[in-house]
Amino acid sequence: MNSTLPHTPCPKDKLCGGCQYQRVPYAEQLARKQARLNHLLGRFGPVLPIIGMDDPTHYRCKVQAAFGVDGRGRVISGVYQSGSHRIVAVDDCLLEDRAADRVIVTIRRLLPKHSIAAFDERRGTGWLRHVLVRVGRFTGELMVVLVAVDARFPQKKHFLAALLEACPEISTVVLNVNDRRTSLVLGERETVLYGKGFVEDELLGFRFRISPRSFYQVNPVQTEVLYRTALDFAELKGTERVLDAYCGTGTIGICASKLAGQVAGVELNRDAVRDAIVNAKGNGVKNIWFTCGDAGEFLERTAAEGEPVDVVLMDPPRAGSDERFLNSLLRAAPRRVVYVSCGPDTLARDLAFLTRGGYRMDRAQPIDMFPFTEHVECVTLMTRK
Ligand code: SAH
């Protein structure tokens, strides 16, 4: 074993492909991410030293396992082999929350005892396709989402009783129906089988509800670092009109609300917006409201109506923002833009657009949200020249 690794190397890493840096010492992982960002963003301005984790293992609070049947007809659970639909059996993963992994293994053991069949992709038979577990790191709440081909679940009562007895840490169980041939894990229909149907977590002293289909950062420890950095960059004085674009469940905007005059959040996913509204209410935040829709369309309308925006906090998905949003951003001309990104290439592309349009990048702060993978998160501050 490599003595500089904090863990025993995973025997499945070649097949799974989830940890590109499985066998790379942590300091070296950070150095590589830093070099990549220096290369991509250095021409726009200073890139600060990356903030890593004290303990870079078992940070993922959202864990997904595919269920299937092996050559001998036994139930297996794990991850899809990269680029294929073959399931690689995985029981414990270096990245995943330990309690979540234990629950998934328990479910797999319970299935045959309750005559519940895992989905067999080749034959198109069986019932259980995936199990999704979400853990509230700070609350300890644990949600199990069973993703099945239909809502028929005659073994429900006995299975749930056995599952809850084996894993008393489970706080809620949801059945999600996904009957389509799709690479998306979750379908649209949901039934709460036990508990409240969501988990809560805490970030920077605020409490957040996370429903099965809402986006929530997978690494809550580093999320606090990320949000603190974003708020620090925003330099709010208490009077600003802030836009939280791509706001998910409203987490960044709600954390910013105490420091700003008013906050508008915009998000495409309906469930996330619903959670965002509940989250604002639950935290007693009165100066924030949310719109469900495309961020570009929303900002275009805002700019056209001449509504002032002082600071924009934006956190688009890996594909980055789009021209509609960026053009409207130039038109709205906020003093500061804090761009949170999990896709360095699209970040560089969008920064090039904004710097041509009259903004300057003051600094970039890389944060390691995804140890052992090549992914890296970065917060940048842009100001109007
Ligand atoms: N800021 C949030 C979420 C960031 S993830 C957080 O920190 O938790 C990016 C979010 O953008 C997702 O919730 C996704 O649903 C949303 N999204 C994707 N495309 C969008 C679009 N065109 N307009 C608005 N929101 C979008």
Side-chain angles (χ1 to χ4, degrees):
M1 180 181 151
N2 183 338
S3 62
T4 55
L5 291 178
H7 59 282
T8 313
C10 173
K12 304 285 173 66
D13 75 320
K14 290 268 157 37
L15 285 173
C16 158
C19 295
Q20 300 83 19
Y21 291 163
Q22 170 70 226
R23 285 152 205 272
V24 180
Y26 192 50
E28 171 67 20
Q29 297 178 26
L30 294 177
R32 287 193 199 174
K33 293 183 186 190
Q34 183 78 43
R36 176 154 176 239
L37 287 175
N38 290 349
H39 172 72
L40 282 169
L41 306 182
R43 66 193 156 108
F44 300 112
V47 181
L48 304 175
I50 187 168
I51 305 174
M53 295 188 79
D54 292 337
D55 174 4
T57 64
H58 302 289
Y59 58 84
R60 276 193 74 99
C61 283
K62 174 187 173 187
V63 174
Q64 243 157 241
F67 274 68
V69 182
D70 71 6
R72 288 188 238 164
R74 289 174 309 194
V75 187
I76 50 168
S77 64
V79 295
Y80 288 120
Q81 186 173 335
S82 48
S84 90
H85 257 222
R86 237 197 88 202
I87 295 172
V88 180
V90 174
D91 281 358
D92 53 279
C93 162
L94 176 67
L95 311 192
E96 295 169 356
D97 180 86
R98 289 191 176 92
D101 279 352
R102 272 195 306 274
V103 167
I104 289 167
V105 170
T106 305
I107 291 173
R108 194 185 64 224
R109 293 207 180 113
L110 287 175
L111 290 184
K113 289 187 191 145
H114 291 83
S115 313
I116 300 170
F119 186 60
D120 184 332
E121 222 172 33
R122 276 164 312 160
R123 298 210 186 107
T125 58
W127 184 73
L128 185 68
R129 298 178 72 162
H130 300 273
V131 172
L132 165 71
V133 176
R134 279 190 189 253
V135 181
R137 175 66 56 106
F138 295 90
T139 58
E141 294 176 353
L142 192 151
M143 170 166 63
V144 173
V145 184
L146 304 170
V147 185
V149 294
D150 60 41
R152 282 175 304 164
F153 191 10
Q155 311 90 331
K156 178 170 81 186
K157 200 168 148 216
H158 291 116
F159 174 77
L160 279 184
L163 178 60
L164 293 168
E165 192 188 315
C167 307
E169 66 272 35
I170 295 174
S171 51
T172 185
V173 182
V174 175
L175 174 63
N176 176 287
V177 176
N178 188 353
D179 51 12
R180 282 183 289 181
R181 283 195 162 269
T182 157
S183 57
L184 290 178
V185 170
L186 296 176
E188 312 240 306
R189 273 180 295 151
E190 257 162 33
T191 325
V192 178
L193 302 180
Y194 169 76
K196 53 192 183 179
F198 55 86
V199 286
E200 290 185 284
D201 201 11
E202 256 176 47
L203 293 171
L204 301 182
F206 293 93
R207 216 174 161 88
F208 295 105
R209 165 192 288 213
I210 311 149
S211 297
R213 282 175 292 165
S214 296
F215 178 90
Y216 186 70
Q217 302 283 351
V218 297
N219 181 342
V221 171
Q222 289 298 78
T223 299
E224 288 203 316
V225 178
L226 178 74
Y227 288 1
R228 222 177 269 129
T229 306
L231 295 180
D232 184 34
F233 281 13
E235 274 188 39
L236 299 169
K237 304 276 187 282
T239 54
E240 294 85 350
R241 275 153 298 203
V242 175
L243 172 63
D244 178 8
Y246 310 91
C247 70
T249 55
T251 43
I252 299 181
I254 288 170
C255 291
S257 64
K258 287 242 151 51
L259 310 164
Q262 54 190 53
V263 184
V266 58
E267 160 64 44
L268 204 52
N269 179 308
R270 215 162 268 289
D271 290 350
V273 174
R274 215 172 285 142
D275 285 352
I277 293 168
V278 170
N279 287 335
K281 222 180 191 162
N283 288 293
V285 175
K286 300 215 165 69
N287 59 340
I288 192 165
W289 70 91
F290 297 96
T291 305
C292 183
D294 172 63
E297 199 183 312
F298 178 83
L299 188 56
E300 196 172 72
R301 215 168 41 238
T302 307
E305 287 164 5
E307 284 275 337
V309 185
D310 304 308
V311 175
V312 170
L313 304 164
M314 57 186 287
D315 184 9
R318 193 157 289 149
S321 194
D322 56 20
E323 293 226 355
R324 190 171 192 183
F325 185 88
L326 296 173
N327 275 320
S328 313
L329 189 62
L330 296 181
R331 199 161 159 211
R335 226 169 32 245
R336 286 166 177 267
V337 177
V338 178
Y339 193 144
V340 177
S341 160
C342 58
D345 296 301
T346 55
L347 173 64
R349 179 199 69 198
D350 294 348
L351 290 187
F353 188 95
L354 292 175
T355 47
R356 277 198 305 275
Y359 281 83
R360 160 185 82 220
M361 186 186 95
D362 293 294
R363 54 191 190 277
Q365 174 66 67
I367 295 164
D368 194 21
M369 300 280 281
F370 316 103
F372 296 100
T373 78
E374 61 195 3
H375 299 297
V376 60
E377 190 91 11
C378 189
V379 187
T380 54
L381 170 63
M382 317 274 299
T383 52
R384 216 173 50 218
K385 281 192 272 208

